[in-house]
Amino acid sequence: MIKETARGMAVHMLTRVEVEGAYANLLLQKNIPRLTDSRDRQFVTLLVNGTLKNRLTLDYALRRHLSKPMSSLPHEVRAILRIGAFQVLYVDKVPPAAAINESVELAKEFPKFTGLVNVVLRKVMEKGWDIPWPDSKREPVRYLSVRYSHPEWMIQRWLKRWGIEETEALCKANNEPAQTWIRTNTLKISREGLRERLSEEGITVELGQRVPESLKIQDFGALGQLGSFQEGLFTVQDESSQLVAHVLDPKPGQFVLDACSAPGGKSTHLAQLMQNEGEILAFDIHDHKLELIEQLAQKLGVTIIHPQLGDARDLPGIRLGSQDRVLVDVPCSGLGVLRRRADLRWQKEEQGLMELPSLQFAILERAASCVKEGGILVYSTCTTEPEENFELVKKFRSVHPEFEPVDLVDALPYTLEDSRDIKQANKGMLQILPHRHGMDGFFLAKFRRSVQRV
């Protein structure tokens, strides 16, 4: 049995991800609280996420020194090799010799492979980044795939759309550690007040420049142990996701529908902007996810959210034209949040992406039918792919001319500067990209239902 050190725990979790298809973020949430030292918790998170993100590159580097394929090795040995190579190649704070020695210690549970781990990792250390990559001009797809550890099908899609320089920039951004953004709960505290409180708790805080409630935090241990978190003074939410509520722009006292609401981050933000006055119907198809919405609302002191069990394609019980504001944050491929979900790139297949637009369109159509004349509809995803974004919106507008695009330039809580963004926003849409905007990849489209003349 591998010892439950930070490295040992990382090996165990990486093995479960590979063998069982377990989700790394859920494994980390469940397991790292057992480590008492905050530095160990941060280290195991770094090892798991970094190794998963860079798995293809690590395997490419390791295979040069293996006489047998990686697939012939026990899963635990593969994980030991990968975290060892990750430390040697990517983690400056860990001396390479220490990384190798600790990996050999872990491999002693598999005596047959101890020598192999030692020899292979020492060769990785000797060669460093002197790796013979595929030629970037003759094999751009393969080069970007192995150099930045992304599936080839993703690279092919992005190369066709953006070319090699921008695709490379996106891949680099996806491999960076995800920053932690939080949203001030303005029902309980001001952003400035929250910054002071967090500073008193030893957290490094930076005010966001795009969203009036946003803060970036660093140098924190377990968020759940912070008094400010336990009191519901904030919730974790990336800036791009925080934009949605501002674009929908709900007013106190209005009737609002959130068609795909779990786990409740956007619903509770809407409630804040409504000053907790009015009604928000928050739908989800899974009963256990409705509990997450209720728990978050209760923690933040929100009382106007009413969780509703039901398929967003049906929205049972919601009358036509009954809602002032409707948010449609549909299930999507999630390719905009690859830096935040380390294992996501390996769980997705292009065929699955092709099947999503029909579901997304069905949800959008049903939700749109609930919008009052003169009311607002916002469609959003956390993906970068046009089939789920621009093309779907174009199809919707061709079928529903009663929905007019709303210029996003004035709807956003910050000023757009890139001419490409302004051109999109003028047409009522905006694609946010990690490498261009420094936020999670996200898409927004805003419509107003026209008033029928009698």
Side-chain angles (χ1 to χ4, degrees), residues 404-419:
E404 304 167 343
V406 177
D407 192 334
L408 289 180
V409 168
D410 296 325
L412 290 162
Y414 70 104
T415 302
L416 295 174
E417 297 178 353
D418 191 311
S419 60

Side-chain angles (χ1 to χ4, degrees), residues 127-420:
K127 293 294 183 181
W129 283 106
D130 182 19
I131 297 172
W133 303 108
D135 188 279
S136 61
K137 291 185 172 60
R138 287 186 297 171
E139 298 181 280
V141 173
R142 186 162 176 259
Y143 166 73
L144 291 172
S145 177
V146 298
R147 180 65 184 85
Y148 298 106
S149 193
H150 282 68
E152 288 192 1
W153 68 265
M154 288 185 193
I155 299 295
Q156 287 173 336
R157 292 177 64 85
W158 298 340
L159 279 175
K160 288 178 184 176
R161 204 178 319 153
W162 295 311
I164 191 164
E165 287 187 11
E166 192 153 10
T167 299
E168 186 170 24
L170 175 57
C171 290
K172 286 181 179 178
N174 287 339
N175 288 349
E176 292 172 357
Q179 298 171 330
T180 301
W181 288 91
I182 62 174
R183 188 189 82 231
T184 309
N185 179 12
T186 51
L187 297 176
K188 291 187 174 183
I189 195 171
S190 68
R191 182 168 71 160
E192 191 56 47
L194 178 60
R195 178 169 72 166
E196 292 177 7
R197 176 67 183 275
L198 290 168
S199 296
E200 291 170 0
E201 292 176 314
I203 310 299
T204 302
V205 187
E206 181 181 328
L207 296 180
Q209 299 301 309
R210 298 184 180 96
V211 184
E213 302 91 345
S214 69
L215 294 157
K216 182 170 70 174
I217 60 173
Q218 301 176 68
D219 303 324
F220 57 88
L223 282 180
Q225 296 177 4
L226 291 177
S228 53
F229 182 76
Q230 294 169 355
E231 294 168 30
L233 302 186
F234 70 89
T235 188
V236 178
Q237 187 178 28
D238 190 74
E239 270 200 313
S240 61
S241 183
Q242 293 185 43
L243 293 173
V244 178
H246 287 280
V247 169
L248 189 64
D249 192 28
K251 306 300 183 185
Q254 286 187 331
F255 293 97
V256 177
L257 168 65
D258 187 349
C260 310
S261 59
K266 297 179 184 69
S267 292
T268 52
H269 195 187
L270 294 171
Q272 287 179 210
L273 298 185
M274 296 165 69
Q275 298 171 29
N276 206 27
E277 297 174 10
E279 178 184 81
I280 299 174
L281 299 175
F283 271 84
D284 198 87
I285 197 169
H286 300 292
D287 212 355
H288 69 278
K289 289 189 176 181
L290 294 181
E291 294 178 13
L292 298 177
I293 300 171
E294 290 175 339
Q295 290 168 6
L296 182 59
Q298 183 175 9
K299 183 176 184 180
L300 299 181
V302 172
T303 58
I304 63 170
I305 294 176
H306 304 283
Q308 307 286 311
L309 181 64
D311 192 318
R313 291 169 291 187
D314 301 324
L315 297 175
I318 308 300
R319 291 183 292 107
L320 300 178
S322 61
Q323 303 297 307
D324 297 293
R325 299 283 189 272
V326 173
L327 172 59
V328 189
D329 186 56
V330 292
C332 70
S333 62
L335 298 195
V337 294
L338 294 183
R339 65 176 179 172
R340 200 165 293 283
R341 288 279 310 280
D343 49 357
L344 190 62
R345 67 190 71 186
W346 312 121
Q347 296 170 345
K348 296 294 179 180
E349 296 180 0
E350 191 168 18
Q351 181 57 40
L353 189 152
M354 297 292 99
E355 296 166 356
L356 279 167
S358 60
L359 169 65
Q360 293 161 340
F361 190 79
I363 292 173
L364 178 57
E365 277 207 306
R366 171 58 181 124
S369 72
C370 303
V371 182
K372 287 180 179 178
E373 290 187 2
I376 297 295
L377 170 70
V378 167
Y379 174 82
S380 65
T381 72
C382 59
T383 188
T384 55
E385 302 312 293
E387 296 94 329
E388 304 176 78
N389 296 339
F390 292 111
E391 292 175 16
L392 190 138
V393 166
K394 183 179 178 181
K395 177 183 176 182
F396 175 75
R397 289 232 42 234
S398 69
V399 178
H400 295 280
E402 71 274 20
F403 282 91
E404 304 167 343
V406 177
D407 192 334
L408 289 180
V409 168
D410 296 325
L412 290 162
Y414 70 104
T415 302
L416 295 174
E417 297 178 353
D418 191 311
S419 60
R420 295 169 294 185

